Amino acid sequence: MRLFRLLKILYVVWRHGLLVPVAASLKRPWMTALARVLSVGTRTGTRGERLRTALERLGPIFVKFGQVLSTRGDLLPDDVALELAKLQDRVPPFDSRLAIAEIERALGQHPEQLFASFEVQPVASASIAQVHLAVLHDGHGEREVAVKVLRPGMLAAIEKDLAVLRMLARLVEWLWADGKRLKPRAVVAEFDTHLHDELDLMREAANGSQLRRNFMDSPLLRVPEMLWDYCSSSVIVMERMHGIPISQTARLEAAGIDRKQLGRHGVEIFFTQVFRDGFFHADMHPGNIYVDDREPQLARYIALDFGIVGTLSDYDKNYLAQNFLAFFRRDYKRVAQAHIESGWAPADTRVDELEAAVRACCEPIFDRPLKEISLGQVLLRLFQASRRFNIEIQPQLVLLQKTLLNIEGLGRQLDPDLDLWSTAQPFLERWMKERIGLKGLLEKLRTEAPQWAQLLPELPRLLHQRLQAEHDHSQQQLLAQLIEEHRKTRRWIALGAVMLFATAAGLALLYFRAL
């Protein structure tokens, strides 16, 4: 079975004209020449386009793999990474009878008993799950909900394709000149973890609940409420959201929504998630983002599908803010220093060399008008330059880079003149002032106050214990010193006794000889 799947993969690779780039990457001229002969009559287009369509042909697991691979801008050429970022899950729905059976198994009741009404035909379908609409009795009337059901047999299908991917990774590492540097087995292992996490819908529900709490009072973003009494690892029920898909710009204009304002709001939402919360929606492609059209003047976003989220520590946030601001100001030396200080670049890296590499990445982009600059492209170029200096790209930052590319694409689709940099810079500068200034100090004190409140009453006892320990330690040192001095005295006394005895014996011997 695995051999048959491998043969199908090889056929798709050949059919989409990917033999030549694969053979060329192996750096064996005879293989490249043979691949060119075999590829006559195959599909044309850029290598990124052909790779994307090949992955779509191989099925949902390979589409997911391509999405994960698109986040590795440090490993892939720019054009391939950007093309793979366009991959979206579009697969036919599975039999609704299977969905009903899974709901009954997971929640203990048939949908007819759980819901006032249940739409058998799904409204959305992806590689991992599909969504049905329903109406729920919640004790205060009827409530519209969305029911997300895990696709049956996913675990078995995933394990089969993962086995093939592991085998291909070993081949890549063995045959490809850059195989070891690209760490294909590590990439597949990362993908394995990612897929198995998505198979647990409770994790997605928890992610959505956290994001909703973070933006509970926000005029910019709406997140559906999770109905925990109807959630399990294979079925989750959430509030139904009404809106217009963000990709349907004609409908947005017809609804009277200001697209320019919407673009600016998207940038603000992204940077708020990253720098205020350190918790961000990391799968913001057009299929997961809607716009609330009930109040067109607000232009509120609606976020859906929380299977992939990113998290950042305070250290990560500070590092990112300093780097972004340094980029805005063209302070490349500060960028280089930040990489070395963070430990992501080796300690022996020369600041001037890294500074020169960063300048080479950024200056050609800055020389264009600001509205033509892509922050995502800057990050991609920097990841490419990182190879030379053995800079370790942190996974959370790679995920952030993918999300930033999505945000930038959405923003420019809404407003082609969107200046992401000038929109983001005031936010970042304000955030840095709040973090470093008086407000940041007060916030830090407020956060640490519970720990200090618990610690302060114990300070006298802890101080007494410390002093007692130091006193005991001093006493022990004094006792040890006295013992050592006593030992030395005993040794001197013993030595003196021996010498006295020897002297007496010598004198006695001389006396007896004189007689």
Side-chain angles (χ1 to χ4, degrees):
M1 191 70 179
R2 193 182 301 177
L3 179 60
F4 176 77
R5 182 64 167 158
L6 184 59
L7 290 173
K8 181 179 180 180
I9 291 171
L10 291 174
Y11 170 76
V12 172
V13 168
W14 167 79
R15 186 72 182 85
H16 287 78
L18 295 172
L19 281 180
V20 173
V22 170
S25 65
L26 299 178
K27 298 181 180 179
R28 288 170 173 74
W30 67 271
M31 284 189 177
T32 304
L34 179 61
R36 292 186 188 281
V37 173
L38 294 174
S39 297
V40 174
T42 57
R43 294 187 180 180
T44 58
T46 67
R47 58 182 179 177
E49 291 172 343
R50 285 180 281 128
L51 178 57
R52 176 176 55 80
T53 55
L55 292 173
E56 290 171 343
R57 175 75 181 275
L58 289 171
I61 304 304
F62 280 81
V63 168
K64 284 281 184 186
F65 183 65
Q67 290 175 329
V68 172
L69 203 59
S70 72
T71 68
R72 300 309 305 266
D74 56 325
L75 303 180
L76 297 176
D78 295 0
D79 60 318
V80 174
L82 289 171
E83 194 65 37
L84 291 184
K86 299 177 183 178
L87 283 167
Q88 294 184 30
D89 285 338
R90 293 194 185 98
V91 298
F94 57 87
D95 193 331
S96 296
R97 290 174 295 182
L98 295 175
I100 291 171
E102 184 58 35
I103 292 171
E104 188 171 8
R105 187 198 67 79
L107 303 182
Q109 288 182 293
H110 193 278
E112 291 181 355
Q113 298 170 298
L114 287 169
F115 306 106
S117 65
F118 179 82
E119 295 186 13
V120 175
Q121 190 67 25
V123 294
S125 177
S127 58
I128 296 294
Q130 69 185 29
V131 178
H132 296 259
L133 299 179
V135 176
L136 180 69
H137 289 296
D138 66 353
H140 302 286
E142 295 183 342
R143 184 175 188 181
E144 291 183 317
V145 295
V147 184
K148 189 168 186 176
V149 186
L150 191 68
R151 186 175 287 269
M154 279 303 299
L155 184 59
I158 283 174
E159 292 300 339
K160 287 179 182 178
D161 276 347
L162 281 173
V164 174
L165 285 172
R166 292 188 193 101
M167 183 168 59
L168 289 173
R170 286 193 293 270
L171 284 173
V172 167
E173 200 166 278
W174 178 49
L175 292 173
W176 201 357
D178 273 351
K180 290 184 178 180
R181 182 184 63 80
L182 295 178
K183 300 179 181 178
R185 284 188 287 180
V187 173
V188 172
E190 179 185 339
F191 176 55
D192 186 347
T193 302
H194 164 75
L195 270 184
H196 282 88
D197 285 348
E198 280 204 73
L199 289 178
D200 184 0
L201 295 187
M202 283 293 284
R203 295 175 67 102
E204 178 179 342
N207 292 338
S209 181
Q210 175 73 54
L211 191 63
R212 174 182 169 82
R213 186 163 62 253
N214 291 346
F215 283 85
M216 182 62 73
D217 301 319
S218 171
L220 304 179
L221 179 67
R222 293 183 61 207
V223 180
E225 178 186 358
M226 299 294 163
L227 306 179
W228 291 108
D229 290 340
Y230 301 91
C231 291
S232 72
S233 60
S234 59
V235 176
I236 57 175
V237 178
M238 70 191 81
E239 173 189 5
R240 180 182 177 183
M241 308 299 280
H242 293 273
I244 301 172
I246 198 167
S247 58
Q248 298 182 10
T249 53
R251 286 185 61 191
L252 293 176
E253 289 186 348
I257 294 172
D258 186 343
R259 287 168 52 186
K260 292 182 180 293
Q261 182 187 27
L262 197 63
R264 292 193 299 271
H265 284 179
V267 176
E268 184 173 346
I269 290 170
F270 171 74
F271 281 96
T272 300
Q273 290 182 66
V274 171
F275 291 104
R276 187 194 69 184
D277 305 326
F279 183 91
F280 59 95
H281 189 307
D283 196 17
M284 298 187 73
H285 62 71
N288 289 339
I289 305 297
Y290 282 60
V291 180
D292 187 352
D293 58 343
R294 296 177 303 173
E295 299 177 89
Q297 70 278 8
L298 293 180
R300 295 178 74 186
Y301 282 81
I302 298 172
L304 302 171
D305 195 342
F306 314 101
I308 308 175
V309 297
T311 57
L312 297 170
S313 66
D314 286 343
Y315 183 84
D316 291 330
K317 290 188 288 185
N318 284 325
Y319 164 81
L320 282 170
Q322 290 181 31
N323 271 276
F324 278 136
L325 288 174
F327 283 131
F328 293 146
R329 297 163 180 166
R330 301 201 194 190
D331 187 355
Y332 306 124
K333 184 175 183 179
R334 179 62 197 139
V335 175
Q337 289 172 335
H339 277 74
I340 297 171
E341 290 168 3
S342 68
W344 295 347
D348 59 353
T349 302
R350 287 185 54 177
V351 173
D352 58 335
E353 290 184 355
L354 183 54
E355 178 188 356
V358 173
R359 182 181 296 108
C361 289
C362 298
E363 277 301 307
I365 300 172
F366 279 113
D367 285 341
R368 301 206 307 260
L370 274 176
K371 69 178 184 180
E372 298 178 10
I373 295 174
S374 166
L375 191 54
Q377 283 280 7
V378 172
L379 289 178
L380 280 173
R381 289 176 180 270
L382 288 172
F383 284 170
Q384 295 289 332
S386 68
R387 299 175 186 172
R388 175 185 165 193
F389 295 93
N390 296 317
I391 293 175
E392 182 180 352
I393 304 300
Q394 305 298 304
Q396 68 272 26
L397 299 188
V398 175
L399 195 59
L400 181 71
Q401 173 255 328
K402 169 185 177 289
T403 307
L404 185 56
L405 284 173
N406 286 337
I407 290 291
E408 199 168 50
L410 289 174
R412 294 185 191 281
Q413 182 180 353
L414 294 169
D415 177 14
D417 293 326
L418 176 69
D419 186 345
L420 179 64
W421 294 60
S422 62
T423 306
Q425 186 171 355
F427 181 93
L428 287 172
E429 289 178 339
R430 183 172 65 252
W431 182 83
M432 286 294 287
K433 288 179 182 177
E434 290 176 355
R435 292 283 295 181
I436 298 173
L438 178 61
K439 186 176 180 180
L441 175 62
L442 294 175
E443 180 64 23
K444 190 70 173 177
L445 289 174
R446 186 185 66 81
T447 304
E448 298 290 339
Q451 297 182 28
W452 280 105
Q454 183 179 1
L455 182 62
L456 282 172
E458 299 180 8
L459 279 179
R461 178 176 57 82
L462 295 173
L463 181 59
H464 178 266
Q465 289 178 351
R466 177 65 178 175
L467 292 173
Q468 185 65 42
E470 290 183 356
H471 178 267
D472 292 344
H473 182 64
S474 299
Q475 291 293 324
Q476 290 175 357
Q477 285 185 321
L478 180 59
L479 181 60
Q481 186 177 355
L482 290 173
I483 291 173
E484 181 63 24
E485 289 178 357
H486 179 65
R487 286 175 179 169
K488 288 180 179 178
T489 303
R490 290 177 59 187
R491 284 198 296 268
W492 281 110
I493 292 172
L495 181 60
V498 170
M499 292 179 66
L500 183 60
F501 177 78
T503 302
L507 291 171
L509 183 60
L510 290 173
Y511 174 76
F512 285 114
R513 281 186 178 178
L515 292 175

